[in-house]
Amino acid sequence: ISKTSFVVGSTQASSSSRGRPMEEGTADRNSLDGTTTERDAATTTTTTTTQVVADAEASSGSDSPLNGDAAYRILALDGDGPECSLTCGSDEEDALSSGDHEFGISLWPPRDILSVLGFSEALFIDGDALLQWACCDSRVDWRHGGQFLHLAYSVELVLKQLCTRGAHPHVFFFADTGSQHGNHTRQLVREIVACHLVAYAVVAPMHDMDLHVHRLPHSFFHPEGEAAWNKLTDSFPPACILTQCGWGERKAETLGFVKLLMDHHQVALMEGMHVMSGRFVVQLVQRFDINEKDELNALMQHLRSQCADGPPHGDSPSPPTSIAWELGAPSDLSLRARIVLPALRHMLSQSRNNGAGMPELSSLAAAFCLCAAWLERLPLHDRCLPDPPHLPQPLGDALSAFIDALHGLVLSSLPEVLKSHELAEPSAAFVDAFDGRLLHTIVGHCLEGRPWANEVMADALRLWQACGQEAEDFELPGSTAGGLPPVVVPEATSHCRPLLPVQKFDWLKGLLRGLLEREPAPLEQESEPQLQQYEAHHYHSIQLLDAEPDAFARSDEENPCTRYVFHRVTNHLELKELQSVLRAGGVVKLHRNLTYSPQLRFDVGSRSASFTLHSFNVLGGEFRIASEWQSLVDSPAFPIIAKFAKNFRDDILLRMEQKFAAHEAEYLNSLLAGAPVSPMTISEQRKLSEVEQHADDVGRGKGKSKGKEKPKTKTDKLKEKLQLEQHEKTEKRAQADLQGLREQASGAQSNSDKIRWRDNFLVKASAWHEQGWTSMGIEACMEAMKLAKRINMDDEAQHKRMLFLLLQEILRLFSDALSSEKTATKKLAKVASNLGFHDLESCILALGPEGIQDTSQSRASRLADPASRYQFEYIPEHLKRPIGTRDARVQFKPDPWQVRLLGIVDDKNSALVIAPTASGKTFVSYYIMERVLRSSDDDVVVYVCPTKALANQVYHEIQARFSKAYKQAACHAAGIFTRDYRRHDQCCQILVTVPQCLGILLLSPTLACTTWSQRLQYVIFDEVHTLGDAAQGQIWEQLLLLVQCPFVALSATLGDSQRFAAWLDSVEQKRGRRLSLVEHHERYNDLKPWIFDGSDLQELHPFFALQNRRGAKARSLKLVPEDALRLHDAMLEAEPSSVGDLEPSVFFSGVPTRSWDLSMCHAREWEQALKERFESLPANVRALVINKVGAGTVAAFEAQQDDLAKGEGRYLRSKLPKLVQVLKSKEMIPAICFHNSKEGCLSLAHLLFCALEQKEARYNKEHGYFQRAETIKAELGELKVKLDKVDLDRNLLSETQHGWTMRFNELVFELNRMSRILPEFAVFVPGEKPTSRAELEEIFAPTPRRFDNGFDASNKLHRLLLRGIGVHHSSLPKRYRECVERLFRLRRLGIVISTSTLAVGINMPSKTSVFVGDSIFLDSMQFQQEAGRAGRRGFDLRGHTVFFGLPRSKVEQLLCSELPAMQGNLTICPATVARLLLRHHSLSGSAHQEGLTAGIERLLHFPLAAAAGSGQQADVGRRLLPLQVAHHFRFCVEYLRMERIVNESLVPSDLTGFIAHIFFEQPSNFAVAVLLRAGVFEKLCRDPNFRTEDLMVVMCHLFCRTPATPRSLLEGPSGGGQSTKSRKGVLPELSPLVANALREHSARVVEGMAAYQQWFARAFALELGVDNTLPLSRVCVEPPLRTPSAHDFRPLAVSARSAFVALSGHGDRFKSARDLCTGVRAELNMDPQLLPVVEPDGEALNSYILDFFKHGQIEVLKRDSGVAHSELWTKLEQFFYIVRSISAAMRRRARSAQYRGTQTAFADKEVVEAFATLSDEFESKWKAVRFGFGEV
């Protein structure tokens, strides 16, 4: 890379052409001076990705700072000053240090930046980067002097979309960075747009827009600029900074990007930013490790010192010495004239004074005055001009030089102009000061001799005279010399295609009624293609999902007890070897010594299984059975893909099934461990007893007072007598038990025995309290108190704490009974007095009988801290929790909000439940399930989970909770349907699934799915906030709109819940129901935050975050009681008078139980009062309080700062063992360590394992265990020799022989004891049994459904479990993940290191959540999800969160940030419409068709995005968005007809079913369908030189597309050419046959959508208004003067295209899908997902899947592909499912067409067989590596 260039994305680009790729034929538009060098042209046509590198040196690491996934060396600096350039591997010596500076960054897949932002967090935007991004738009006209208004529109549109979606942008500009924008034109654009934004920021609040614009002095490295930047970020702490990696040739600006990363800011890259489905997709940059930080700091300090000497040198001209008006009355001129005319006057005067210069200056200046006059009169639409006439080269060059010089002078004079005319508000004249395209057009028309309107000429002459020129000198170009010949400009016509006729479709007319009211001009209908009629019985006679295996199900032909393996034969030698092991019938005979066996991947030594040739496939041939093998051997055609089946023996299968059942039972039991419920068997409707019915009625609010009670009969009296006698007998037994406990406890000597008997007394007391035996319960409590006093404890504080807790427990049980217990009252009061709690003593005496003297007040001088304070400070985890009321409907006592939720479900209404993690919101799901199971055998409830892991666990938990006896054996209580596992999905009453699979069932055209959907009674949407996710949000929103039955939506992290609930309620009202919002904001258990400083855990007070985040609110921070007490004490010290009434003893004076039974609710009330009082304090007092409470936290961060600065990965590796040791010592395990890197999780777990092993080895060596073990083994050998000679069957042994036997057993026991892992060298939970190897062998034992190799001691993942360590992430084998989950629930694992897979609903109750290292994915939502895993209800009294290796700024952001607002999604796309049409046609003549139509109507008219936004323009968008969605639906239907996917009657064809079959891969599924219909695959496969690899290239271009790595693009082709075929790591180009078909399809789609957008813009022109208003500032670009009645500019006809974009010469014809999506009017909603196109001329793609197909070596792929390791497994698996699904669909339809004798796109045998071969070959390679992919 040369010194004057750097790399942005995957392209090598000069400083003048960065950012986006340029479209073909427009390279010259991005040139600064109108020219493009050959090298620049080659550069700009290279496509880009959103990755930033300088030398594109991809490392082979992982996806974390531990090993650098997709990490690149980005900077190599040379030179010694601010003018030095960026090079890679330069040999020049740096002035400050020698060698290159390497900085590793991790670049992650693009992500929605709005999901990173909290609801009120600041988004910083680098204004220069934003302008660079807008300037690099290839549509901007730079050839004619720039289009200022177009650029301002692009910038405003981005900011407007961010603001309306809830972001809070802060745009900043550094003064010295303006000169880095290239020539004078771009610098002037930058200054005008910056001033325009500053002016708008003043009035933005009046428009309900939260926009801030900051002009900062100098640069990052100037002292003043750095101080201003620090002040700005302190005042508005940024959640994320949107910028570039640097611009221009200056090192200082590029180092500014590095500085942001060094300061621990979250940085996102502007390059490649695009808006899709309402989301701003950008690439986030991971904070990075720096190898030579000292040198970098020295270099930055050098830059600071140079910047302090003066402003850096720029290329802008120095300000003219005299630019003065010297006019008589300049006040009557417009702002536009005031900006430009001083510079023009100066140019003319300098030219006249110098007597030399530009010959054409006078005439060009006159033309400019004429242009300025036209700008005052021309409306915006009349300025949308076609390309100007081509000027002669001398004149064209002179005009370009004139514009550049004029822009330079205006740039210099602009500050003076703004001083005299301050911009109080944004002005159209200011931002629209220049129109270079109009100027070129005017010059061209002047040369043609066209006349001008008189009034315009008069205005131009007036401006000319204002420049100090004489009227007679006003001379336009071409007036004295021959001009250009007249140019014939064709009349601008509007091309509009006919829309879909819907008159004959009644159901469509109802859906589109709002559109049909706007009748367009009558258009001649085009002829419709005649399609083959779709046969409905094809989908009604069979079950589509079963007969056509999709990517979410197993193949029907696969037996779950059979494992298939593949072998590829490529030559005669391999065929001969394979033939040697085949026997009759295709049976394989293998032997241990057969060297060929490993190639077949068979278990040679297995006597429980046999191998048989299942089938084989040959390119160009059919699938054959084993009997046809010999015919193939005689004339082989390579390659041959042989498929073998491994079958188990029946007896082995039975034994394995039994083991599997036992394993499942244990796994299910682990799911219910600690839950307040028991398994339930449901056989019939359960009848409630009278007591239960009464409680049920009370719970429902239906209890009624009864009349007179019925008289008791003799039988009733007899029953009462018997019950009384039984009660007396039971009481006598209880008294005997109490006496027995006293006698046994009297002999307790050790502390452990005393504690044990104390607990026994308390258990008895609690039980007797429940039975009403108060006196015995109090006696038991007194005995417990006696034992507690006798317990000897070294720590007096701990003993005091124990006694207080015991006293608290006694009072909670028997406080009401003390009124009759004088002795007990006195004893308890004495205990309180001895502890120093005289307020508690007084309270106890008040509870006792009357007459007891209260002497506590007389001892006021000895008064210690009040008991209320003691509860907050020392026992906060024991504060009273809310106790629910008994309700017969559930097995526990629900809280009030839970009772309300039960009533909503009983009334069959919908609910949105928002409650913290572990608060008990999921209980309603199981209540609904129980109701459905009891109601009938047919009703169905669906539980929707966001992930497969959660679905699997919920499915097993349902199995553990419920069982039911059915009359029909085919019915089941629970079923599951996920992408890779499917069981009883349509024959169960409780279905657990993921949203994509529920969509399959709801939209499937099969009769079985239709019947199933009518059985739905309830749908439960768990983790409904996933609707805001960019990847899954669309399907979630579609399901919420499509389902007909009531639903319950659950979430713990839902931002802006009120708006979301209002939207759901509007949808429910359309269904005839209402939605209830149930919110509960309090956790059952507190979460205590900690910071690990490298040596110990330090308490983290959340208020420390207020030091640097001044915009944060104290009320948003959650405090545990002891932290609230510290805040109170700090406020008392800083301002004693501020908290007098907030002293605990005063604040809780109205609470009777304040001295012994304060609750969590009381603590919350006190906390809120403290925070409100804190916010009312003066700023200086608040600062003192913050410094006081946060001193310890700040010191902890400073302690880790130096070590963390040396590299996060190094810090994590060195400190993790110490952290685990501290967690064990503080009893804070079990713990989950969250680390957002799969490879990093494995690395950290292995590191911890090695540290424990080394510690054990040192211990054994110090204590001589190795020598002792060798001695024991030697003695055992000797004894074994002796015992072998003894007849052990004899009844009598000699005394000596008996001694040998005893000694042998003792030594074996001793050896086993020594081999056990001690707790000091593992991470075991205290008091729990460690996991043994025998247990793991049993857990990992093979089963018929699982083909794992069992427990493997050499597998490091398995060995980790023996030391209490687990690893969990999605790429690990499912069996291992389930084992980790089960062992952790049983408290057999102390530490699990996991990615975020355990954050979403997985039942893994832990005591501590540890956040290990920083990550771009660790945002506020993920933080709350992961932190919520700790302190689960029913398991612990308190949870803990520990920050380990996170910078202070990130912790502050996590603590202060709010949840992001929910964003809407695109509810309609062509694939969805195809599925809806398929479903609608299958319901023809059915009563259910109306329900589907109602669901479609909700999809069209109730999108969530229509409920978003604010302000007037947002209101217009909300009102028109449903109509636009309906219009998009109409287009999708028309597109399907146009492409003959459905016929003119909307009857589906076989292509419709195929597209619906792989709907999840839009637009690639349409590309495959187009290539099939056009016969492209047929021509490709019939080519004599066809190879399977050729088809693989096409598939890689369509599916799982990943941009090529920068390194691959920069290395270039090996042969020196420009073809990508020879580039390593770059996917070869598509063949012309395929590429041309895709191009033609793309052109048709873009043309069709453009016509639809034009129609909508014209039909709703009144609502949309004239397109002359800037989107953000709402400045109307309307000429102040009257437009002449006639002018000859002939503008372009524009209706759908934005008029601001059309200023650069673009009409309503769009060149590409991107042009269409980004070029339409701002009010028209366009999304790339609406256009089912794959453009073959896009970015260069990574060849990682093709490379894997070639060599099948996963390690090589990890090293060379440049794809993140965490993404490889997912993408390869996804491609495997896609190929298998396509192949299965093709075979199914081809066989069906052959059977019926019909013509179909799938009838070509070569195509079907080619896809089958491709599928089998890829499956053979994928399955060979998939089982070991996640191993260490």
Side-chain angles (χ1 to χ4, degrees), residues 125 159 163 167-171 197 200-202 204-205 208-214 1672:
I125 302 177
L159 296 176
C163 290
H168 305 275
H170 288 251
V171 185
L197 293 178
Y200 173 69
V202 178
D208 295 327
M209 294 292 177
D210 188 13
L211 175 70
H212 303 265
V213 182
H214 311 278
L1672 180 67

Side-chain angles (χ1 to χ4, degrees), residues 1217 1220-1221 1224 1248-1249 1251-1260 1263 1265 1313 1316-1325 1330 1363:
V1220 174
Q1221 180 183 349
K1224 290 174 59 179
L1248 179 59
F1249 175 82
L1252 293 173
E1253 266 195 339
Q1254 294 171 4
K1255 183 178 179 181
E1256 183 182 42
R1258 290 193 299 268
Y1259 178 86
N1260 291 338
H1263 291 76
Y1265 276 18
R1313 185 188 65 81
R1316 288 200 300 265
I1317 300 175
L1318 298 178
E1320 303 94 289
F1321 314 121
V1323 195
F1324 298 142
V1325 180
R1363 295 190 181 270

Side-chain angles (χ1 to χ4, degrees), residues 1405-1511:
S1406 68
K1407 184 175 288 188
T1408 306
S1409 292
V1410 184
F1411 297 90
V1412 182
D1414 193 7
S1415 170
I1416 59 175
F1417 296 105
L1418 184 56
D1419 52 26
S1420 59
M1421 180 172 291
Q1422 183 172 326
F1423 169 69
Q1424 294 195 25
Q1425 289 279 355
E1426 293 175 350
R1429 299 302 102 193
R1432 302 299 297 272
R1433 183 174 185 174
F1435 293 91
D1436 299 296
L1437 293 175
R1438 165 169 284 191
H1440 304 273
T1441 57
V1442 177
F1443 296 101
F1444 170 43
L1446 273 75
R1448 175 182 174 179
S1449 58
K1450 185 58 175 283
V1451 176
E1452 292 172 347
Q1453 177 185 341
L1454 295 176
L1455 293 177
C1456 297
S1457 62
E1458 300 176 357
L1459 294 171
M1462 190 74 71
Q1463 302 295 326
N1465 301 275
L1466 182 71
T1467 57
I1468 288 296
C1469 64
T1472 301
V1473 174
R1475 299 169 69 197
L1476 290 172
L1477 293 179
L1478 196 61
R1479 172 75 167 160
H1480 190 273
H1481 179 73
S1482 69
L1483 296 175
S1484 298
S1486 171
H1488 306 312
Q1489 196 175 54
E1490 184 178 349
L1492 177 64
T1493 304
I1496 299 175
E1497 183 178 5
R1498 291 191 295 272
L1499 281 176
L1500 301 185
H1501 299 290
F1502 289 90
L1504 175 58
S1510 61

Side-chain angles (χ1 to χ4, degrees), residues 425-593:
E425 60 182 13
S427 168
F430 180 76
V431 76
D432 189 27
F434 295 94
D435 190 336
R437 194 176 188 86
L438 178 61
L439 175 59
H440 276 74
T441 302
I442 289 175
V443 172
H445 286 192
C446 288
L447 295 180
E448 295 172 5
R450 298 189 183 186
W452 302 104
N454 294 332
E455 56 265 44
V456 178
M457 288 295 293
D459 293 342
L461 185 60
R462 177 170 168 271
L463 294 176
W464 175 261
Q465 291 175 337
C467 293
Q469 307 299 312
E470 300 295 334
E472 56 271 14
D473 295 334
F474 185 78
E475 183 179 300
L476 294 173
S479 58
T480 58
L484 294 176
V487 178
V488 180
V489 181
E491 291 291 334
T493 59
S494 175
H495 178 74
C496 189
R497 298 176 64 255
L499 302 185
L500 170 69
V502 297
Q503 286 73 18
K504 58 181 179 180
F505 305 109
D506 293 335
W507 66 282
L508 276 182
K509 288 193 293 184
L511 295 175
L512 306 177
R513 57 183 177 273
L515 298 172
L516 298 179
E517 296 172 357
R518 308 297 176 99
E519 290 293 338
L523 297 170
E524 182 181 356
Q525 296 296 327
E526 297 179 352
S527 60
E528 301 291 343
Q530 299 296 321
L531 302 183
Q532 174 191 348
Q533 290 293 321
Y534 172 77
E535 299 184 16
H537 72 272
H538 172 65
Y539 285 94
H540 282 279
S541 60
I542 61 172
Q543 295 184 4
L544 171 66
L545 293 177
D546 295 333
E548 298 174 356
D550 52 43
F552 300 93
R554 295 171 179 263
S555 175
D556 283 348
E557 63 183 6
E558 294 186 6
N559 188 326
C561 296
T562 302
R563 180 178 179 180
Y564 293 96
V565 291
F566 296 83
H567 180 61
R568 184 183 186 187
V569 182
T570 58
N571 53 55
H572 288 84
L573 179 60
E574 293 178 356
L575 180 61
K576 182 178 180 181
E577 293 177 339
L578 180 60
Q579 185 70 14
S580 65
V581 299
L582 289 178
R583 298 294 183 267
V587 177
V588 180
K589 296 295 184 181
L590 299 175
H591 304 281
R592 289 183 179 276
N593 57 354

